[in-house]
Coordinates of all heavy atoms in Angstrom, one line a residue:
M1 N -11.3 0.6 5.1 CA -10.9 0.3 3.7 C -11.8 1.1 2.8 O -12.8 1.6 3.2 CB -11.0 -1.2 3.4 CG -10.0 -2.0 4.2 SD -8.3 -1.6 3.7 CE -7.4 -2.3 5.0
T2 N -11.5 1.1 1.5 CA -12.2 1.9 0.5 C -13.2 1.1 -0.3 O -12.9 0.0 -0.7 CB -11.2 2.5 -0.4 OG1 -10.2 3.3 0.3 CG2 -11.8 3.4 -1.4
T3 N -14.4 1.7 -0.5 CA -15.3 1.0 -1.4 C -15.3 1.7 -2.8 O -15.1 2.9 -2.9 CB -16.8 1.3 -0.8 OG1 -16.8 0.8 0.5 CG2 -17.8 0.6 -1.7
V4 N -15.3 0.8 -3.8 CA -15.2 1.3 -5.2 C -16.5 1.1 -5.9 O -17.1 0.0 -5.9 CB -14.1 0.5 -5.9 CG1 -14.0 0.9 -7.4 CG2 -12.8 0.7 -5.2
A5 N -17.1 2.2 -6.4 CA -18.3 2.1 -7.2 C -17.9 1.6 -8.6 O -16.9 2.1 -9.2 CB -19.0 3.4 -7.3
F6 N -18.6 0.6 -9.2 CA -18.3 0.1 -10.5 C -19.5 0.0 -11.3 O -20.5 -0.7 -11.0 CB -17.6 -1.3 -10.2 CG -17.3 -2.0 -11.5 CD1 -16.3 -1.4 -12.4 CD2 -17.8 -3.2 -11.9 CE1 -16.0 -2.1 -13.6 CE2 -17.5 -3.8 -13.0 CZ -16.6 -3.3 -13.9
D7 N -19.5 0.6 -12.5 CA -20.6 0.6 -13.4 C -20.4 -0.5 -14.4 O -19.7 -0.4 -15.4 CB -20.7 2.0 -14.1 CG -21.9 2.1 -15.0 OD1 -22.6 1.0 -15.3 OD2 -22.2 3.2 -15.5
T8 N -21.1 -1.7 -14.2 CA -20.8 -2.8 -15.0 C -21.4 -2.6 -16.4 O -20.8 -3.1 -17.4 CB -21.5 -4.1 -14.4 OG1 -22.8 -3.9 -14.1 CG2 -20.7 -4.5 -13.1
L9 N -22.5 -1.9 -16.6 CA -23.1 -1.7 -17.9 C -22.1 -0.9 -18.7 O -21.8 -1.2 -19.9 CB -24.4 -1.0 -17.8 CG -25.1 -0.7 -19.1 CD1 -25.3 -2.0 -19.9 CD2 -26.4 0.1 -18.9
K10 N -21.6 0.2 -18.2 CA -20.6 1.0 -18.9 C -19.4 0.2 -19.3 O -18.9 0.3 -20.4 CB -20.3 2.2 -18.1 CG -19.4 3.2 -18.8 CD -19.2 4.5 -18.0 CE -18.4 5.5 -18.7 NZ -18.2 6.7 -17.9
F11 N -18.9 -0.6 -18.4 CA -17.8 -1.5 -18.6 C -18.0 -2.4 -19.8 O -17.2 -2.6 -20.7 CB -17.4 -2.2 -17.3 CG -16.1 -3.0 -17.4 CD1 -14.9 -2.3 -17.3 CD2 -16.1 -4.4 -17.5 CE1 -13.7 -3.0 -17.3 CE2 -14.9 -5.0 -17.5 CZ -13.7 -4.3 -17.4
V12 N -19.2 -3.1 -19.8 CA -19.6 -4.0 -20.8 C -19.7 -3.3 -22.2 O -19.1 -3.7 -23.2 CB -20.9 -4.7 -20.5 CG1 -21.5 -5.4 -21.8 CG2 -20.8 -5.7 -19.4
E13 N -20.3 -2.1 -22.2 CA -20.4 -1.3 -23.4 C -19.0 -0.9 -24.0 O -18.8 -1.0 -25.2 CB -21.3 -0.1 -23.2 CG -22.7 -0.4 -23.0 CD -23.6 0.7 -22.5 OE1 -23.0 1.8 -22.2 OE2 -24.8 0.6 -22.5
R14 N -18.1 -0.6 -23.1 CA -16.8 -0.2 -23.5 C -16.0 -1.4 -24.1 O -15.3 -1.3 -25.1 CB -16.0 0.5 -22.4 CG -14.6 0.9 -22.8 CD -14.0 1.8 -21.9 NE -14.6 3.1 -22.0 CZ -14.4 4.2 -21.2 NH1 -13.5 4.1 -20.2 NH2 -15.0 5.3 -21.3
L15 N -16.2 -2.5 -23.5 CA -15.5 -3.7 -24.0 C -16.1 -4.1 -25.3 O -15.3 -4.5 -26.3 CB -15.6 -4.9 -23.0 CG -14.8 -4.8 -21.7 CD1 -15.1 -5.9 -20.8 CD2 -13.4 -4.7 -22.0
E16 N -17.4 -4.0 -25.5 CA -18.0 -4.3 -26.8 C -17.5 -3.4 -27.9 O -17.3 -3.8 -29.0 CB -19.6 -4.2 -26.7 CG -20.2 -5.4 -25.9 CD -21.7 -5.3 -25.8 OE1 -22.2 -4.2 -25.6 OE2 -22.3 -6.3 -25.9
A17 N -17.4 -2.1 -27.5 CA -16.9 -1.1 -28.5 C -15.4 -1.4 -28.9 O -15.0 -1.1 -30.0 CB -17.0 0.3 -27.9
G18 N -14.7 -2.1 -28.0 CA -13.3 -2.5 -28.3 C -13.2 -3.8 -29.0 O -12.1 -4.3 -29.3
G19 N -14.3 -4.5 -29.3 CA -14.3 -5.7 -30.1 C -14.7 -7.0 -29.3 O -14.7 -8.1 -29.9
F20 N -15.0 -6.9 -28.0 CA -15.4 -8.1 -27.3 C -16.8 -8.5 -27.7 O -17.6 -7.6 -28.1 CB -15.5 -7.8 -25.8 CG -14.1 -7.9 -25.1 CD1 -13.1 -7.0 -25.4 CD2 -14.0 -8.8 -24.0 CE1 -11.9 -7.1 -24.8 CE2 -12.8 -8.9 -23.4 CZ -11.7 -8.0 -23.7
T21 N -17.1 -9.7 -27.7 CA -18.5 -10.2 -27.9 C -19.3 -9.8 -26.6 O -18.7 -9.5 -25.6 CB -18.6 -11.7 -28.1 OG1 -18.2 -12.4 -26.9 CG2 -17.8 -12.1 -29.3
R22 N -20.6 -9.8 -26.7 CA -21.5 -9.5 -25.5 C -21.2 -10.5 -24.4 O -21.1 -10.1 -23.2 CB -23.0 -9.6 -25.9 CG -23.9 -9.2 -24.8 CD -24.2 -7.8 -24.9 NE -25.2 -7.4 -23.9 CZ -25.3 -6.2 -23.4 NH1 -24.4 -5.3 -23.8 NH2 -26.2 -5.9 -22.5
E23 N -21.0 -11.8 -24.7 CA -20.8 -12.8 -23.7 C -19.4 -12.5 -23.0 O -19.2 -12.6 -21.8 CB -20.8 -14.2 -24.3 CG -22.2 -14.6 -24.7 CD -22.7 -14.0 -26.0 OE1 -21.8 -13.6 -26.8 OE2 -23.9 -13.8 -26.2
Q24 N -18.4 -12.2 -23.8 CA -17.0 -12.0 -23.3 C -17.1 -10.7 -22.4 O -16.5 -10.7 -21.3 CB -16.0 -11.7 -24.4 CG -15.7 -13.0 -25.2 CD -14.9 -12.7 -26.5 OE1 -15.0 -11.6 -27.1 NE2 -14.0 -13.6 -26.8
A25 N -17.7 -9.7 -22.9 CA -17.8 -8.5 -22.1 C -18.5 -8.7 -20.8 O -18.1 -8.2 -19.7 CB -18.5 -7.4 -22.9
K26 N -19.6 -9.4 -20.8 CA -20.3 -9.7 -19.6 C -19.5 -10.5 -18.6 O -19.5 -10.2 -17.4 CB -21.7 -10.4 -19.9 CG -22.7 -9.5 -20.4 CD -24.0 -10.2 -20.8 CE -24.6 -10.9 -19.7 NZ -25.9 -11.6 -20.0
A27 N -18.8 -11.5 -19.1 CA -18.0 -12.3 -18.2 C -16.8 -11.5 -17.6 O -16.5 -11.6 -16.4 CB -17.4 -13.5 -19.0
A28 N -16.2 -10.7 -18.4 CA -15.1 -9.8 -17.9 C -15.7 -8.8 -16.9 O -15.0 -8.6 -15.8 CB -14.5 -9.1 -19.1
A29 N -16.8 -8.3 -17.1 CA -17.4 -7.3 -16.2 C -17.8 -8.0 -14.9 O -17.5 -7.4 -13.8 CB -18.7 -6.7 -16.8
E30 N -18.3 -9.2 -14.9 CA -18.6 -9.9 -13.7 C -17.4 -10.3 -12.9 O -17.3 -10.1 -11.7 CB -19.4 -11.2 -14.0 CG -20.8 -10.9 -14.5 CD -21.5 -12.2 -15.0 OE1 -20.9 -13.3 -15.0 OE2 -22.6 -12.0 -15.5
A31 N -16.3 -10.7 -13.6 CA -15.1 -11.0 -12.9 C -14.5 -9.8 -12.3 O -14.0 -9.8 -11.1 CB -14.1 -11.6 -13.9
F32 N -14.5 -8.7 -13.0 CA -13.9 -7.4 -12.5 C -14.8 -6.9 -11.3 O -14.2 -6.5 -10.3 CB -13.8 -6.4 -13.5 CG -13.1 -5.2 -13.1 CD1 -11.7 -5.2 -13.0 CD2 -13.7 -4.0 -12.6 CE1 -11.0 -4.1 -12.6 CE2 -13.1 -2.9 -12.2 CZ -11.7 -2.9 -12.2
A33 N -16.1 -7.0 -11.4 CA -16.9 -6.5 -10.3 C -16.7 -7.4 -9.1 O -16.7 -6.8 -7.9 CB -18.4 -6.6 -10.7
E34 N -16.5 -8.7 -9.2 CA -16.3 -9.5 -8.1 C -14.9 -9.2 -7.4 O -14.8 -9.1 -6.2 CB -16.2 -11.0 -8.5 CG -16.1 -12.0 -7.4 CD -16.1 -13.4 -7.9 OE1 -16.8 -13.7 -8.8 OE2 -15.3 -14.2 -7.3
A35 N -13.9 -9.0 -8.3 CA -12.6 -8.6 -7.7 C -12.6 -7.2 -7.1 O -12.0 -7.0 -6.0 CB -11.5 -8.6 -8.9
A36 N -13.4 -6.3 -7.7 CA -13.4 -4.9 -7.1 C -14.3 -4.9 -5.8 O -14.1 -4.0 -5.0 CB -14.0 -4.0 -8.2
G37 N -15.1 -5.9 -5.7 CA -16.0 -6.0 -4.5 C -15.2 -6.4 -3.2 O -15.6 -6.2 -2.1
Q38 N -14.0 -6.9 -3.5 CA -13.1 -7.3 -2.4 C -12.5 -6.0 -1.8 O -12.5 -5.0 -2.4 CB -12.1 -8.3 -2.8 CG -12.6 -9.6 -3.3 CD -11.6 -10.5 -4.0 OE1 -10.4 -10.1 -3.9 NE2 -12.0 -11.6 -4.5
E39 N -12.0 -6.2 -0.6 CA -11.4 -5.0 0.0 C -10.2 -4.5 -0.7 O -9.3 -5.2 -1.0 CB -11.0 -5.3 1.5 CG -12.1 -5.5 2.4 CD -11.7 -5.6 3.8 OE1 -10.6 -5.3 4.2 OE2 -12.6 -6.0 4.6
L40 N -10.2 -3.2 -1.1 CA -9.1 -2.6 -1.8 C -8.4 -1.6 -0.8 O -9.0 -1.1 0.1 CB -9.6 -1.8 -3.0 CG -10.3 -2.7 -4.1 CD1 -10.8 -1.8 -5.2 CD2 -9.4 -3.7 -4.6
V41 N -7.2 -1.4 -1.1 CA -6.4 -0.5 -0.2 C -5.9 0.7 -1.1 O -5.5 0.5 -2.2 CB -5.2 -1.2 0.4 CG1 -4.3 -0.3 1.2 CG2 -5.6 -2.4 1.2
N42 N -6.1 1.9 -0.5 CA -5.6 3.1 -1.2 C -4.4 3.7 -0.5 O -4.0 3.2 0.6 CB -6.7 4.1 -1.5 CG -7.2 4.7 -0.2 OD1 -6.6 4.7 0.8 ND2 -8.5 5.2 -0.3
K43 N -3.9 4.7 -1.0 CA -2.7 5.3 -0.4 C -2.9 5.8 1.0 O -2.0 5.5 1.9 CB -2.2 6.5 -1.3 CG -0.9 7.1 -0.9 CD -0.4 8.1 -1.8 CE 0.9 8.7 -1.5 NZ 1.3 9.8 -2.4
S44 N -4.0 6.4 1.3 CA -4.2 6.9 2.7 C -4.4 5.7 3.7 O -4.0 5.8 4.8 CB -5.5 7.8 2.7 OG -6.6 7.1 2.4
D45 N -5.0 4.6 3.2 CA -5.1 3.4 4.1 C -3.7 2.9 4.4 O -3.4 2.6 5.6 CB -5.8 2.3 3.4 CG -7.3 2.6 3.1 OD1 -7.9 3.4 3.9 OD2 -7.9 2.1 2.2
L46 N -2.8 2.9 3.4 CA -1.4 2.4 3.7 C -0.7 3.3 4.6 O 0.0 2.9 5.5 CB -0.7 2.2 2.4 CG -1.1 1.0 1.5 CD1 -0.3 1.1 0.2 CD2 -0.9 -0.3 2.2
Q47 N -0.9 4.6 4.4 CA -0.2 5.6 5.3 C -0.6 5.4 6.7 O 0.2 5.5 7.6 CB -0.4 7.0 4.8 CG 0.3 7.3 3.5 CD 0.0 8.7 2.9 OE1 -1.0 9.3 3.3 NE2 0.8 9.2 2.1
A48 N -1.9 5.2 6.9 CA -2.4 5.0 8.3 C -1.8 3.7 8.9 O -1.5 3.7 10.1 CB -3.9 5.0 8.3
E49 N -1.8 2.7 8.1 CA -1.2 1.4 8.6 C 0.3 1.5 8.9 O 0.8 0.8 9.8 CB -1.5 0.3 7.6 CG -3.0 0.0 7.4 CD -3.6 -0.7 8.6 OE1 -2.9 -1.5 9.3 OE2 -4.8 -0.5 8.9
L50 N 1.0 2.3 8.1 CA 2.4 2.4 8.2 C 2.9 3.4 9.3 O 4.1 3.4 9.7 CB 3.1 2.7 6.9 CG 3.0 1.6 5.9 CD1 3.6 2.1 4.5 CD2 3.7 0.4 6.3
H51 N 2.0 4.2 9.8 CA 2.4 5.2 10.7 C 3.0 4.7 12.0 O 4.1 5.1 12.4 CB 1.2 6.1 11.1 CG 1.5 7.2 12.1 ND1 2.3 8.3 11.8 CD2 1.3 7.3 13.4 CE1 2.5 9.0 12.8 NE2 1.8 8.5 13.8
P52 N 2.5 3.6 12.6 CA 3.2 3.1 13.8 C 4.6 2.5 13.5 O 5.5 2.6 14.3 CB 2.2 1.9 14.3 CG 0.9 2.2 13.6 CD 1.2 3.0 12.4
V53 N 4.7 1.9 12.3 CA 6.0 1.4 11.9 C 7.0 2.6 11.7 O 8.2 2.4 12.2 CB 5.9 0.6 10.5 CG1 7.3 0.2 10.0 CG2 5.0 -0.6 10.7
R54 N 6.6 3.7 11.2 CA 7.5 4.8 11.0 C 7.9 5.4 12.4 O 9.1 5.7 12.6 CB 6.8 5.9 10.2 CG 6.7 5.5 8.7 CD 6.2 6.7 7.9 NE 6.2 6.3 6.5 CZ 5.1 6.6 5.7 NH1 4.1 7.2 6.2 NH2 5.2 6.2 4.5
V55 N 7.0 5.4 13.3 CA 7.3 5.9 14.7 C 8.3 4.9 15.3 O 9.3 5.4 15.9 CB 6.0 5.9 15.5 CG1 6.4 6.2 17.0 CG2 5.1 7.0 15.0
D56 N 8.1 3.6 15.2 CA 9.1 2.7 15.7 C 10.5 2.8 15.1 O 11.5 2.7 15.8 CB 8.6 1.2 15.5 CG 7.4 0.9 16.4 OD1 7.1 1.7 17.4 OD2 6.7 -0.1 16.1
L57 N 10.5 3.0 13.8 CA 11.8 3.2 13.1 C 12.5 4.5 13.6 O 13.7 4.5 13.8 CB 11.6 3.3 11.6 CG 11.3 1.9 10.9 CD1 11.1 2.2 9.5 CD2 12.5 1.0 11.1
A58 N 11.7 5.5 13.9 CA 12.4 6.8 14.4 C 13.0 6.5 15.7 O 14.1 7.0 16.0 CB 11.3 7.9 14.4
V59 N 12.2 5.8 16.6 CA 12.8 5.5 17.9 C 14.0 4.6 17.8 O 15.0 4.9 18.5 CB 11.7 4.8 18.8 CG1 12.2 4.3 20.1 CG2 10.5 5.8 19.1
L60 N 14.0 3.7 16.9 CA 15.2 2.8 16.8 C 16.4 3.6 16.3 O 17.5 3.3 16.7 CB 14.9 1.7 15.8 CG 14.0 0.6 16.4 CD1 13.6 -0.4 15.3 CD2 14.7 -0.2 17.5
K61 N 16.2 4.6 15.4 CA 17.3 5.4 14.9 C 17.9 6.2 16.1 O 19.1 6.2 16.2 CB 16.8 6.4 13.9 CG 16.5 5.8 12.5 CD 16.0 6.9 11.5 CE 15.6 6.3 10.3 NZ 15.0 7.3 9.4
W62 N 17.1 6.8 16.9 CA 17.6 7.5 18.1 C 18.3 6.6 19.0 O 19.4 6.9 19.6 CB 16.5 8.2 18.8 CG 16.1 9.5 18.1 CD1 15.0 9.7 17.3 CD2 16.8 10.7 18.2 NE1 15.1 11.0 16.8 CE2 16.1 11.7 17.4 CE3 18.0 11.1 18.8 CZ2 16.6 13.0 17.2 CZ3 18.4 12.4 18.6 CH2 17.7 13.3 17.8
M63 N 17.8 5.4 19.3 CA 18.4 4.4 20.2 C 19.8 4.0 19.6 O 20.8 3.9 20.3 CB 17.5 3.2 20.4 CG 16.3 3.6 21.2 SD 15.1 2.2 21.3 CE 16.1 1.0 22.2
L64 N 19.8 3.7 18.3 CA 21.1 3.3 17.7 C 22.1 4.4 17.8 O 23.3 4.2 18.0 CB 20.8 2.9 16.2 CG 22.0 2.4 15.4 CD1 22.7 1.2 16.1 CD2 21.7 2.1 14.0
G65 N 21.7 5.6 17.5 CA 22.6 6.8 17.6 C 23.1 6.9 19.0 O 24.3 7.2 19.2
A66 N 22.3 6.7 20.0 CA 22.8 6.8 21.4 C 23.7 5.7 21.8 O 24.8 5.9 22.4 CB 21.6 6.8 22.4
V67 N 23.5 4.5 21.3 CA 24.4 3.4 21.6 C 25.7 3.6 20.9 O 26.8 3.4 21.4 CB 23.7 2.1 21.1 CG1 24.7 0.9 21.1 CG2 22.6 1.7 22.0
L68 N 25.7 4.1 19.6 CA 26.9 4.3 18.9 C 27.7 5.4 19.6 O 29.0 5.4 19.6 CB 26.6 4.7 17.4 CG 26.2 3.5 16.5 CD1 25.9 4.0 15.1 CD2 27.3 2.5 16.5
A69 N 27.0 6.5 20.0 CA 27.7 7.6 20.7 C 28.4 7.0 22.0 O 29.6 7.4 22.3 CB 26.8 8.7 21.1
G70 N 27.7 6.1 22.7 CA 28.3 5.5 23.9 C 29.5 4.7 23.6 O 30.6 4.7 24.3
V71 N 29.4 3.9 22.5 CA 30.6 3.0 22.1 C 31.8 3.9 21.7 O 32.9 3.6 22.1 CB 30.1 2.1 21.0 CG1 31.4 1.4 20.4 CG2 29.1 1.1 21.5
V72 N 31.5 4.9 20.9 CA 32.6 5.8 20.5 C 33.2 6.5 21.7 O 34.5 6.6 21.8 CB 32.1 6.9 19.5 CG1 33.1 8.0 19.2 CG2 31.7 6.2 18.2
S73 N 32.4 6.9 22.6 CA 33.0 7.6 23.8 C 33.8 6.6 24.6 O 34.9 7.0 25.2 CB 31.9 8.2 24.7 OG 31.1 7.2 25.3
L74 N 33.4 5.3 24.7 CA 34.2 4.3 25.4 C 35.5 4.0 24.7 O 36.6 3.9 25.3 CB 33.4 3.0 25.6 CG 32.3 3.1 26.6 CD1 31.5 1.8 26.6 CD2 32.8 3.4 28.0
V75 N 35.5 4.0 23.4 CA 36.7 3.7 22.6 C 37.7 4.9 22.8 O 38.9 4.7 23.0 CB 36.4 3.5 21.1 CG1 37.6 3.5 20.2 CG2 35.6 2.2 20.9
V76 N 37.2 6.1 22.7 CA 38.0 7.3 22.8 C 38.6 7.3 24.3 O 39.8 7.6 24.4 CB 37.2 8.6 22.6 CG1 37.9 9.9 23.0 CG2 36.8 8.7 21.1
K77 N 37.8 7.0 25.3 CA 38.3 7.0 26.6 C 39.3 6.0 26.8 O 40.3 6.1 27.5 CB 37.1 6.8 27.6 CG 37.5 6.9 29.1 CD 36.3 6.7 30.0 CE 36.7 6.8 31.4 NZ 35.6 6.6 32.3
G78 N 39.2 4.8 26.2 CA 40.1 3.7 26.2 C 41.5 4.1 25.6 O 42.5 3.7 26.1
F79 N 41.5 4.8 24.5 CA 42.7 5.2 23.9 C 43.4 6.4 24.5 O 44.6 6.6 24.6 CB 42.5 5.5 22.4 CG 42.4 4.2 21.6 CD1 41.2 3.8 20.9 CD2 43.5 3.4 21.4 CE1 41.2 2.7 20.2 CE2 43.5 2.3 20.7 CZ 42.3 1.9 20.0
F80 N 42.5 7.4 24.9 CA 43.1 8.7 25.4 C 42.9 8.9 26.9 O 43.3 9.9 27.4 CB 42.5 9.9 24.6 CG 42.7 9.7 23.1 CD1 41.7 9.4 22.3 CD2 44.0 9.9 22.6 CE1 41.9 9.3 20.9 CE2 44.2 9.8 21.3 CZ 43.2 9.5 20.4
G81 N 42.2 8.0 27.6 CA 41.8 8.3 28.9 C 42.7 7.6 29.9 O 43.2 7.8 30.9

């Protein structure tokens, strides 16, 4: 998983510049830092996790195609054979 660096002082200063009080800005920064400290997932993490699923889906597509071809051949043989 990905680690995110978070500058709480810069975050507090930006919130204060936007009109937050010092206490509000500190509380928001602490809450965000706590949330950001949890495991975050980025696009490459998801792609790695989904790779086995994509492989399984590809196999299922080929299997379904083979089964449908077999059914069609049996139906054709039944009508014309």
Side-chain angles (χ1 to χ4, degrees):
M1 296 295 165
T2 303
T3 304
V4 176
F6 178 63
D7 185 351
T8 55
L9 178 60
K10 186 175 181 179
F11 190 75
V12 167
E13 290 171 348
R14 181 164 286 176
L15 290 176
E16 286 179 321
F20 278 61
T21 65
R22 182 88 174 155
E23 291 76 24
Q24 290 172 326
K26 285 175 62 176
E30 288 171 5
F32 188 79
E34 183 179 324
Q38 298 173 4
E39 289 188 15
L40 300 176
V41 177
N42 65 23
K43 187 176 180 179
S44 64
D45 293 332
L46 287 176
Q47 287 174 341
E49 294 289 327
L50 291 176
H51 180 70
V53 174
R54 288 188 178 134
V55 170
D56 290 344
L57 284 175
V59 170
L60 286 173
K61 285 180 188 178
W62 280 101
M63 290 172 63
L64 181 60
V67 168
L68 287 175
V71 169
V72 168
S73 68
L74 289 174
V75 169
V76 168
K77 185 177 181 181
F79 281 114
F80 301 109

